[in-house]
Each structure stands twice: as C-alpha cells, then as structure tokens.
C-alpha cells in the first residue's frame, strides 16, 4: 500500500482546500481523505478486488491516533501506508543526524521531501508526544451502517418457469449491516450480508443473512501488541506462505511489489474467503515479537463421492473444486455452502533490530476432506492428494543507509521451495530504483499465498525493475518492466512460455490544485489457441493501454477529473481496439452538509481482451472497478448528505446503456434489453 507523490498530490488538493492548519484536524474532511486513498490504490495497481474496509479502517485509525514524528518506528511508518520505505529511511536518517523535530517546517529539510509530501502527511502526524493510556472501555465511538443494493432491471435468474419456480431462490435486493465500536485500544465489530438472489429468513437462510462476521481486537496492552478473537487477517513476509487479504499487484506505484504486512489485523470485509476465524495474538518483548494463531473456517466446495475414488484414496470424500464468489442464490450454490472445513494453527517469531527484522513462520493446516487437484497436465507436479500440510517460511528485511533488502523463502513439506528477493535503493534524493525477483517452481505449494505475480503462485519466475525519477516539484516519472516465464504448461498455455510487461507514466503538477499524467502500458504473453490440443504452438497476445488523466480543483467547491484511455488487443492475427472517455464533476462545499459526484462516460471496446477498467466512487465500505466493454455510455450520481455529526446518508445510482445490443450479461445474470441500472443506498449513524 506504499504510495508516492502522486497519492500525496491528491491529498494535497484536498488539504489545500480546507484552509485549515494541523491544529484544526478535526475540521478535515475524513470521508474525502478515505475516498482519495482508496482511489489512489485502485487506480495505481492492476487490482480489481481489494479489501477496501480494512484500508479505510487503517487510515481512519491513524487520523484519530496520529503518529508521533519523533517516536514512530520504521514499522509504524510502514503501517501508515503513505510514505515509501525509502522516504521513511530518509526521515529516520535525518532525525538520527539532526535530532528530534521541533517544528513541522523542519520536514522540508529532509532529502526527497517537498511541500506536497509534507501537506499529505500533516493529517496523520503530530509533534506532541502521545500519552500512554491504560486499557479502558471509556471514550468508545460507535458506528452503525445499513446498506442496500439492487439492479432495477429483472435478471434471468428471477424469472419463474412453468412450475412457478425461479433459479434464484431469493429477492433481487442486497442488504448489509455493520456495527463497529472502538477506542484507542479496543475494536469490536460485527457484519451481516445478504447478496441479491439469496434467501432471507426463509428456506436455506432461516438464520437471516447469508454471511456473518464478528471480531474483537485489542491493541497495545502490556506485552500484548495485538489480540484478535473472531475473524482476523494475517500478513507475513512477502506473501508466499500466509497472506489472507487481497494483496496489491503491479501498477504505477512501483513500491507495491514489496509487501509490507500488518502481521495481524481484524477482518472487516464481507469477502467470505479472505480471513481466518478463531484466535490470534502478537506478543512483544523487547526485540522479540511472536505471533500465535489458531483458526477453523468453512469454505464452499464441490464434494464428490464415488466408489472409484474411495478405492484409490481410501476415503469416501473428494474436494474437486473450491468456490470463492460467496454467492448462495441457487440450489446448486446452496448445496456447496460451507461443505469443507479448514483447520490452521501456527507460530511466527520475529527478531527485530534497528536495521530490520528476520521472521520465521511455521503453519500447519488440516483439511477435513482430501483435496485432489484436477487431473490436467499443468497439475502433473502437484501432490496428487493431501489432507495435512506444514508450511515453513523464512523472511527478512534489512535496512542500509539508502537501500532496503528484503526477501522470503517458503516450503511446504509436500512441494518445492519458492522464494522472493528484492531491493529498493535511493540512488539520489530524486531517483529511486526497486528490483524484485520471484521464483515459484512447478511443484511449489502454499497454504494461503498472495505474492506479486503475473498469473499463478506456482510455475512462474520473473524479474521486475521499477524506477521513480523526480525531476523537480512539478515533474516526476514512474516506470517498470517485468519479465516473467512459465516453467511448465499452465491453464492458459500449452508449453513453457514467457512474456513481458512495460509501464511508463509521466506526471505533471503545474499548480497545487492541478495534476496531469500520461500512462502507457504494454503486455506481451503467450496463450493457447484452443482448449482441446496441447500439441499446438502458443500464440503471442499483445495488450496495450494508453491513458491521459487530468485532475483540477476549482476554487474550494469543485473538482474536475477527465480521462481518455485507449486499448488494443492483438492475437491470432486479429486486432481489437477500444476507448473510454469519462468526465467526473465533484461538488464539496466547505462546512456544508451536501456534496455529490457525477460521472458521464462513453466507451467503445470491440473485444473482451481489450476491456478497460476504471475506478468508480462508491458508498463507504464498498468499491467498484467495472470493466467497460462493448459500445455504449454510462452515468452515475453519488450524493452524500451529512445531516449532523451523527447521521450520514449516501446513495448511488448508475445507469449503463449499450448500443446495438439486445441483452446484457449471460446465464442467470442476463438482462433482456440494452439497459442496466444499479442502486446503492447507505445510512450511517455515529455516536
């Protein structure tokens, strides 16, 4: 989640408009800061699914509990997620050389820091020493959020047949309910969610909502650095072994390739597949930090039971596939719900020192039923069946004067060794470089991995090189190149293959309230021609994207964002083009209860491979990066009304119109016609 000056420019635009000082942080537009952080992350990473709720929670916690500039450690700066590792190094090196900071103006003397960077930090830092407070249930803040979402057109899954039965068992409305309570040391939360099409207090869902989640999270009480009871997330090393959140991927923020895990955190997501359920704790004693965890979770899976399998496995049950979309709308989906139990426990001691840390992870997994990979050729080197596995991992981070070395090696007792080695280095206050090598052999097995990768977390090796060059306060350039290779066949290629990806982005900020950037991205990789023959040669597919993005703040109320993106897909001697143009208009008057965001977009994308993704503003705790495909237009309107300090109302209505089309979607999601309208409503109560 590391950011560079691009994100800080977004923050700076907002901060300049508030006409406030650091002493007036209570007047900051917290929702605006949260929204811009999410927007930056999603726009600058090749990631279409992100744990937005966790990111929002982390940022909000740091707004309410700002970092002491003179006391914060390297890991605490990392957890803030705004400065890159090299910028943190520069700050700490300056403090060590010149002593404690006495004024915020002194931050301008740090190598690589400019006005935009400092303005972006101001809401999250303090020069006042944080008082040590005892664990208490006092000063707890509460929040209740009730959300509703629905597609207004009727989908195929809701249409009843001659027997008066529809494929979808429930109504087309989606509901979610959240309650959070927190102070400086304790967080408690519970979440309930029903997707459109799922039953509600009837049929298979007599308990009401389809998904429930709860957590109790305690921080900094004695030797207990973190304690989680209920649903929690773990993030270790570089994501090779155990990383239960959706990690970011490659993008214009080159620092995303280095994982900076929070180790242990509460789960606030409605994604039923990316969390652990049980108990975990991180204990801190001087230089030794130890995390222990135990979890039992249920997943959706297809279970088979045949005599042939029973004879070959010695058991009657076989897990042939997992389902990760979390939907339970049809009889088939309901039959697969929570059919597979996963038990996991482990320990991760970390030896920390002034220059970094070294961490060991031992994790043991017990599966209720045997997991058998599909009998396809790309799984030839994967363990044929297993019910238990032990994962061993060793990761490290070592900080030098102007460079950071990091890496992780991981091995499951059932497979080979996967490893990552990287380095980020400041060649000059204006020039930074990051190098990242990954090697996942064809027999690599991991329990819950989320490493940086192109395709899969096994059968891949690659080398990534990224650069950031700050010409001056107005101009900076980011670029990367990634070479990758499949050691063996995969789902998408019939023979060992290779590919590459390039990205270059030029950023120009002539004024504090204006930002323009131009981005070019090109990717070449192999793909198989058909699904029926492994004797065919792979074909080369080339994807190209060109983007111009302009963002400008007008006075103190208005903000304009414009984008033109062109795409091109080349494969099998065919070329397909696409374009997207949108115009955003945001209205946010100072100290007024009403604000809104409006987008108008037109697009024409000839092929699915040439599709264009674009971030959309959404109600809190939700996110949206829809693919623009085919020819048409889209408009959405998102008003927010802050009735008082306790009540906030949000609504978003989005409408897509396709030209020369008779239907949208397919299967149960098919809509007859060329229009699709989505509605989201959220009410939040804070007290």
């Amino acid at each position: 989640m590391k950011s560079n000056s691009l994100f800080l420019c977004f923050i700076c635009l907002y901060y300049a408009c508030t006409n406030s000082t650091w002493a007036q942080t209570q007047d900051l537009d917290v929702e605006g800061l949260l929204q811009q952080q999410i927007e930056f992350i999603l726009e600058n990473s090749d990631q279409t699914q992100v744990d937005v709720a966790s990111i929002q929670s982390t940022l909000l916690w740091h707004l309410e509990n700002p970092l002491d500039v003179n006391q914060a450690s390297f890991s605490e700066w990392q957890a803030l997620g705004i400065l890159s590792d090299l910028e943190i190094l520069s700050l700490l090196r300056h403090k060590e050389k010149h002593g404690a900071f006495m004024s915020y103006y002194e931050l301008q003397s740090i190598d690589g820091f400019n006005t935009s960077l400092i303005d972006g930090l101001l809401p999250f830092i303090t020069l006042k020493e944080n008082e040590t407070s005892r664990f208490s249930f006092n000063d707890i803040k509460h929040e209740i959020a009730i959300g509703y979402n629905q597609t207004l057109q009727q989908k195929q899954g809701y249409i009843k047949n001659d027997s008066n039965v529809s494929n979808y068992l429930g109504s087309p409305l989606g509901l979610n309910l959240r309650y959070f309570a927190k102070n400086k040391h304790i967080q408690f939360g519970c979440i309930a969610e029903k997707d459109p099409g799922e039953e509600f207090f009837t049929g298979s869902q007599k308990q009401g909502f389809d998904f429930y989640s709860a957590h109790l999270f305690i921080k900094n009480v004695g030797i207990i650095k973190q304690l989680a009871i209920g649903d929690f997330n773990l993030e270790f090393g570089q994501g090779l072994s155990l990383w239960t959140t959706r990690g970011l991927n490659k993008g214009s923020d080159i620092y995303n390739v280095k994982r900076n895990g929070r180790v242990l955190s509460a789960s606030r997501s409605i994604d039923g597949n990316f969390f652990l359920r049980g108990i975990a704790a991180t204990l801190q004693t001087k230089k030794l930090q130890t995390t222990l965890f135990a979890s039992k979770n249920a997943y959706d899976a297809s279970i088979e039971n045949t005599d042939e399998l029973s004879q070959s496995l010695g058991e009657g049950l076989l897990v042939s596939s997992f389902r990760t979309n979390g939907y339970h709308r049809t009889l088939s989906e309901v039959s697969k719900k929570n059919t597979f139990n996963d038990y996991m426990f482990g320990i991760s001691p970390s030896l920390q020192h002034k220059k970094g840390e070294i961490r060991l992870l031992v994790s043991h997994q017990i599966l209720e039923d045997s997991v058998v990979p599909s009998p396809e050729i790309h799984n030839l080197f994967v363990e044929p069946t297993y019910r238990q596995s032990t994962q061993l991992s060793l990761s490290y981070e070592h900080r030098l004067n102007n460079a950071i070395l990091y890496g992780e090696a991981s091995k499951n007792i059932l497979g080979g060794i996967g490893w990552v080695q990287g380095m980020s280095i400041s060649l000059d206050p204006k020039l930074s470089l990051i190098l990242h090598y990954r090697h996942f052999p064809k027999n690599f097995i991991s329990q819950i991995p989320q490493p940086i990768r192109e395709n899969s977390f096994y059968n891949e090796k690659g080398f990534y090189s990224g650069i950031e060059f700050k010409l001056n306060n107005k101009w900076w350039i980011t670029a990367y190149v990634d070479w990758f290779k499949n050691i063996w066949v995969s789902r998408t290629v019939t023979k060992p293959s290779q590919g590459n990806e390039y990205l270059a982005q030029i950023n120009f900020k002539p004024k504090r309230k204006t930002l323009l950037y131009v981005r070019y991205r090109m990717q070449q990789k192999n793909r198989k021609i058909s699904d029926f023959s492994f004797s065919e040669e792979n074909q080369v597919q080339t994807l190209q994207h060109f983007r111009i993005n302009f963002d400008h703040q007008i006075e103190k109320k208005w903000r304009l964002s414009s984008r033109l993106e062109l795409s091109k897909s080349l494969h099998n001697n065919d070329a397909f083009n696409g374009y997207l143009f949108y115009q955003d208009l945001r209205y946010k008057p100072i100290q007024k209860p009403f604000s809104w965001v409006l987008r108008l977009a037109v697009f024409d994308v000839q092929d699915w491979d040439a599709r264009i993704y674009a971030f959309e503003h959404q109600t809190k705790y939700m996110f949206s990066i829809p693919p623009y495909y085919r020819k048409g237009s889209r408009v959405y309107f998102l008003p927010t009304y802050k009735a008082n300090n306790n009540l906030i109302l949000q609504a978003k209505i989005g409408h897509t119109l396709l030209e020369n089309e008779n239907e949208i979607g397919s299967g149960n999601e098919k809509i007859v016609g060329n229009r699709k309208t989505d509605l989201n409503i959220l009410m939040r109560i804070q007290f």
Side-chain angles (χ1 to χ4, degrees), residues 352-399:
Q352 301 178 325
H353 54 92
K354 188 176 181 180
K355 295 293 184 179
E357 72 167 0
I358 183 169
R359 178 180 293 277
L360 174 68
L361 170 65
V362 181
S363 175
H364 188 69
Q365 186 178 39
I366 302 175
L367 309 178
E368 187 175 64
D369 301 302
S370 295
V371 173
V372 178
S374 58
E376 298 176 271
I377 191 171
H378 64 264
N379 284 327
L380 181 63
F381 297 94
V382 179
E383 183 71 18
T385 65
Y386 63 93
R387 291 190 65 172
Q388 296 191 40
S389 69
T390 301
Q391 195 85 26
L392 303 174
S393 167
L394 185 66
S395 59
Y396 83 97
E397 178 175 300
H398 184 68
R399 300 185 285 270

Side-chain angles (χ1 to χ4, degrees), residues 418-438:
W419 57 278
V420 163
Q421 176 59 53
M423 175 181 70
S424 55
I425 181 171
S426 176
L427 303 174
D428 182 89
K430 295 183 177 181
L431 181 62
S432 300
L433 176 69
I434 185 164
L435 306 174
H436 184 98
Y437 181 81
R438 60 192 185 273

Side-chain angles (χ1 to χ4, degrees), residues 103-358:
S103 167
Y104 297 112
Y105 294 106
E106 294 181 53
L107 297 174
Q108 300 180 49
S109 61
I110 301 175
D111 288 341
F113 277 51
N114 54 34
T115 304
S116 297
L117 190 67
I118 296 168
D119 284 346
L121 279 177
L122 287 180
F124 306 97
I125 62 175
T126 181
L127 290 176
K128 298 178 181 179
E129 184 175 352
N130 291 324
E131 298 180 358
T132 302
S133 59
R134 295 182 178 181
F135 177 79
S136 171
F137 287 98
N138 297 328
D139 302 322
I140 291 181
K141 299 179 180 179
H142 304 264
E143 177 178 337
I144 298 174
I146 303 173
Y148 155 87
N149 62 285
Q150 182 175 350
T151 298
L152 301 187
Q153 287 79 13
Q154 188 179 46
K155 296 181 178 180
Q156 185 67 35
Y158 300 104
I159 299 177
K160 295 183 178 181
N161 57 24
D162 295 338
S163 301
N164 200 34
V165 177
S166 62
N167 291 337
Y168 285 163
L169 304 175
S171 71
L173 64 88
L175 295 172
N176 59 80
L177 174 66
R178 290 175 169 87
Y179 168 72
F180 300 118
K182 63 180 180 179
N183 63 14
K184 191 171 184 178
H185 292 284
I186 187 170
Q187 299 178 28
F188 171 76
C190 56
I191 302 170
E193 187 222 17
K194 168 204 175 300
D195 288 310
E198 294 175 340
E199 295 175 292
F200 191 55
F201 285 105
T202 185
S204 63
Q205 304 290 357
K206 290 185 172 59
Q207 73 279 15
F209 291 90
D210 175 69
F211 174 77
Y212 288 96
S213 175
H215 67 264
L216 174 65
F217 194 74
I218 298 173
K219 297 181 180 180
N220 303 323
V221 180
I223 66 169
I224 300 177
K225 182 178 178 64
Q226 299 163 322
L227 171 64
I229 301 174
D231 294 347
F232 60 90
N233 288 310
L234 295 174
E235 298 172 345
F236 293 120
Q238 293 302 306
L240 268 67
S241 303
L242 190 53
W243 192 285
T244 63
T245 61
R246 296 185 183 272
L248 300 177
N249 214 332
K250 298 172 291 184
S252 62
D253 183 356
I254 62 172
Y255 301 105
N256 280 342
V257 295
K258 178 181 181 292
R259 295 281 191 246
N260 289 312
R262 294 170 292 176
V263 181
L264 175 61
S265 61
S267 173
R268 299 164 63 101
S269 174
I270 58 175
D271 189 327
N273 298 282
F274 283 83
F275 67 87
L276 297 178
R277 178 165 289 175
I279 185 169
T282 296
L283 309 178
Q284 183 81 51
T285 57
K286 294 184 178 180
K287 296 183 179 180
L288 181 64
Q289 183 185 100
T290 304
T291 300
L292 305 99
F293 59 92
S295 167
K296 175 191 175 183
N297 211 349
Y299 297 98
D300 295 358
S302 295
I303 304 294
E304 297 183 9
N305 186 356
T306 68
D307 294 337
E308 181 180 349
L309 290 171
S310 299
Q311 294 175 4
S312 62
L313 300 176
E315 303 172 11
L317 294 178
L318 161 69
V319 178
S320 59
S321 64
F322 292 95
R323 299 186 68 259
T324 59
N325 60 23
Y327 291 133
H328 305 108
R329 304 161 298 184
T330 66
L331 289 174
S332 175
E333 291 173 348
V334 170
S335 69
K336 298 177 176 63
K337 181 179 179 181
N338 296 340
T339 54
F340 177 81
N341 287 323
D342 176 9
Y343 302 84
M344 184 176 290
F345 55 90
I347 183 171
S348 178
S350 171
L351 182 61
Q352 301 178 325
H353 54 92
K354 188 176 181 180
K355 295 293 184 179
E357 72 167 0
I358 183 169

Side-chain angles (χ1 to χ4, degrees), residues 634-668:
R634 177 166 172 79
V635 58
Y636 72 76
F637 182 61
L638 173 60
T640 299
Y641 181 72
K642 189 174 182 179
N644 50 50
N645 292 330
N646 304 106
L647 178 62
I648 300 175
L649 301 175
Q650 286 184 298
K652 177 186 175 181
I653 185 166
H655 182 75
T656 300
L657 172 65
L658 298 182
E659 297 183 16
N660 304 318
E661 299 289 344
N662 297 320
E663 59 185 41
I664 298 177
S666 60
N668 287 324

